[in-house]
Amino acid sequence: DDAFETRDLARGLARSPRYRLLALAEKPTRLLESEGLSLVEVRSGGFPLFAEGARGEPLESGGYAPHSSRSEGRHEQFFRQVDEALGACATSDPLPIVVAGTQRNLAYFDKITAHHESIIGRLTGNHELTPPDQLAHLAKPLIESHLAERRAAAVTELVEAIGAGRAVVGIKPVWQHAVEGHGRVLLVEDDFEYPARIVDGRLEPAGNADPPEVLDDAIDLLIDIVLETSGDAVFVEPGALG
């Protein structure tokens, strides 16, 4: 619909990213994925995962295994299974990961996981039965911190790219590069607007028509162009690009 502003939609998506939350426990380890502001349980790919004997059934070797008697090797073996199942999900759809669990379980998982680079935060505590909505609430500050770090990193990358001659600054040169399909990352301050006329794909001065002509917001159109050519848009606070 013409009434929607691309910037608001793109910014909303950028600041409500999809992520996974892995709640480590032996009965069971749960995987949850974000849907908007909520988390939903994943019930595929082997999840939820139970450690051998954790549900009270006899072990393959006979007898029963209370939690306290399981060897360190069994713990590591179980969390390796968890990490492999997580890897199968990440291969088809890589997302940031928040890991929740007791200090003991977090330590076991940190020791064996192959997903250190995807982990953006940890929640300490027993979350074996914590409802998804409560987990989403607990994870929110970690997600916000992760997004703030991404925005700061994007600004740092821009400064370095400008120094190396690998970036353009200013609405007109940025527009020209974008319409030519060269935009990899577009950085926009939240409050920046540029009313303009778009003529045959070119950015034209607003002019002094009387009565005032209806103008396009060139920033909305610019965001559209970059996203449609597989680029990314990063929205930073007013003044952050000063």
Side-chain angles (χ1 to χ4, degrees):
D1 193 299
D2 291 339
F4 286 110
E5 292 190 6
T6 303
R7 185 192 323 215
D8 289 341
L9 295 173
R11 180 172 49 203
L13 287 171
R15 297 195 176 174
S16 303
R18 294 180 58 225
Y19 68 97
R20 292 190 175 96
L21 188 144
L22 185 69
L24 298 170
E26 294 193 336
K27 50 179 184 181
T29 284
R30 303 150 61 201
L31 183 65
L32 302 95
E33 289 186 4
S34 63
E35 270 191 10
L37 300 177
S38 304
L39 283 170
V40 295
E41 300 267 0
V42 173
R43 300 193 180 279
S44 61
F47 288 100
L49 280 164
F50 291 82
E52 182 188 5
R55 289 174 290 190
E57 71 270 22
L59 299 174
E60 292 180 2
S61 57
Y64 296 84
H67 180 83
S68 59
S69 70
R70 295 194 190 98
S71 68
E72 183 172 328
R74 286 189 180 278
H75 282 294
E76 286 194 17
Q77 181 181 8
F78 172 64
F79 286 122
R80 287 187 191 280
Q81 293 173 353
V82 170
D83 202 51
E84 289 174 4
L86 179 63
C89 295
T91 298
S92 60
D93 188 15
L95 293 174
I97 300 167
V98 173
V99 183
T102 62
Q103 289 185 339
R104 183 169 180 259
N105 285 341
L106 289 174
Y108 277 122
F109 190 73
D110 281 343
K111 183 178 178 180
I112 58 87
T113 184
H115 299 91
H116 285 291
E117 292 185 0
S118 298
I119 296 174
I120 61 170
R122 293 167 176 79
L123 295 172
T124 303
N126 185 350
H127 295 291
E128 184 176 308
L129 301 176
T130 305
D133 286 350
Q134 188 175 342
L135 286 172
H137 176 73
L138 293 172
K140 183 178 179 181
L142 300 177
I143 301 300
E144 291 177 345
S145 176
H146 168 66
L147 293 175
E149 290 175 2
R150 281 181 52 189
R151 293 194 294 272
V155 174
T156 299
E157 182 184 7
L158 174 64
V159 172
E160 295 173 350
I162 292 172
R166 293 184 289 104
V168 291
V169 179
I171 179 64
K172 291 184 178 179
V174 169
W175 178 275
Q176 185 61 38
H177 278 72
V179 296
E180 293 173 358
H182 300 315
R184 182 176 67 83
V185 180
L186 173 69
L187 277 80
V188 183
E189 288 187 357
D190 275 340
D191 62 347
F192 183 64
E193 296 180 353
Y194 192 88
R197 291 179 299 172
I198 313 300
V199 181
D200 296 329
R202 300 191 311 275
L203 203 62
E204 298 285 350
N208 297 307
D210 188 19
E213 56 191 320
V214 177
L215 301 174
D216 293 305
D217 180 4
I219 306 305
D220 266 13
L221 297 174
L222 184 56
I223 293 166
D224 238 356
I225 293 168
V226 172
L227 294 179
E228 285 184 357
T229 54
S230 300
D232 192 15
V234 177
F235 302 88
V236 298
E237 292 73 15
L241 302 180

